[in-house]
Amino acid sequence: MRTYRELFRTPEFTPFFAAVSVQTAASTATGLALGTLVYTRTGSPLLSALAMFGPSLAQVGGALTLLSAADRLPPRAALTALALLSAAAACVQAAPGLPLWAAFAVLLVVGTAAAPGGGVRYGLLNEIVPREGFLLGRSVLNMTGGATQICGYAVGGLLVTVFSARGTLLIGAALYVVAATVTRFGLTARPPRAAGRPSVRETRRTNALLWSSTPRRYVFLALWVPNGLVVGCESLYVAYAPGHAGLLFAAGALGMLAGDTLVGRFVAARWRARLGAPLRLLLAAPYLLFALRPGLPLALAVVVLASVGFAASLLLQERLLALTPQELSGQALGLSSSGMLAMQGVGAAVAGGIAQLTSPATGMAAVAGLSVAVTLALAPGLRDRNEADRGRLLGADGSPRASRTPSTPSTPSPPRTSSTSSTSSTSSTEETT
């Protein structure tokens, strides 16, 4: 699968894409409205920022307690319920006179519950599209998500002006209901990918199992740390160029769009493995030029170039799927997403601390240098060829699954609904990750 036409002709991808896009728009609009509402009531930039981005931080707690639900709940029902929960939360937060502590308590609940949502969503994507189409599908969602956020903030600001912050929260709630409706009636009911009931104990056990595999451990670290440190560079745009921070953010979005388009659509499978290391270095190396305090034109060019490197995450996620059994794919993708969000917060804190002691330019260059150092340190482990590289899927503990010979009788496994259920076939993804 190499074209967008093939992707959108895949049964169920279009309603899946529509539901994800509408939910992203709802999240953007309600986040902006709540941040505005909190700032109007308190005058506190910190509380306003926490109102907008607190759910992302709360996902860390969910990743440690609820992530096993990503593979142990029916995907359609789980995504529908999460969208309706978000709609209800937006309605509660729009209530006049709601105490501030109650508004943040609602945020904490929604953020924690959303932690397995990413795993459910992208695990379902892995079932809807063929295995070799996951990278293309993920890149389309990335591009659309970025564009939806940019438009969502612009439209959300207009809605807040016209309808007030509380009115915008109610509009966001309606969008969540639309997303839930599209999910419920546009997608097929599928059984959970793994047996058993979700629990805190099972979440921790499976997280430890995923982490126990050395190849997967390198992929997780490569997804979390370099990316998070570069987001620390982005967190200093306002301090570096107060009057032009919007241009820098737009340049970053442009670079990400270009990278996702090139890697997701135009780079052949045989080249993807070779591009992984250069893209991971490209993500941070250009930011080293900020040590020279470049003017705005050069700074914009640096940001565009570096942001192309975010496409390395697509290749790493593709590799993670090749290293992970199907029944654990949802939790693996959810763990990668939650870890990235957590490290982005750490990166922003580190960059802000360095900038507080020195200058924004020095802070950006310093965390960029740390990102490059981590990328180089992880490179040997990511270069190692493992069983998945040779077309053999690994078991949950990272060891190769035993191959079967004609002389060895075996009990056939029950069929799965996923188009990628066969572990004996070798896809182009497996050959190149």
Side-chain angles (χ1 to χ4, degrees), residues 66-73 75 115-121 123 193 198 330-332 334:
L66 302 178
L67 207 53
S68 61
D71 292 306
R72 290 171 175 79
L73 292 177
V120 174
R121 184 175 297 112
R193 284 179 290 275
Q331 185 157 345

Side-chain angles (χ1 to χ4, degrees), residues 318-353:
E318 185 182 42
R319 183 167 186 167
L320 179 62
L321 284 178
L323 293 167
T324 304
Q326 174 79 8
E327 63 271 16
L328 301 182
S329 61
Q331 185 157 345
L333 291 168
L335 184 60
S336 73
S337 176
S338 297
M340 287 173 68
L341 289 171
M343 283 307 304
Q344 287 172 8
V346 171
V350 171

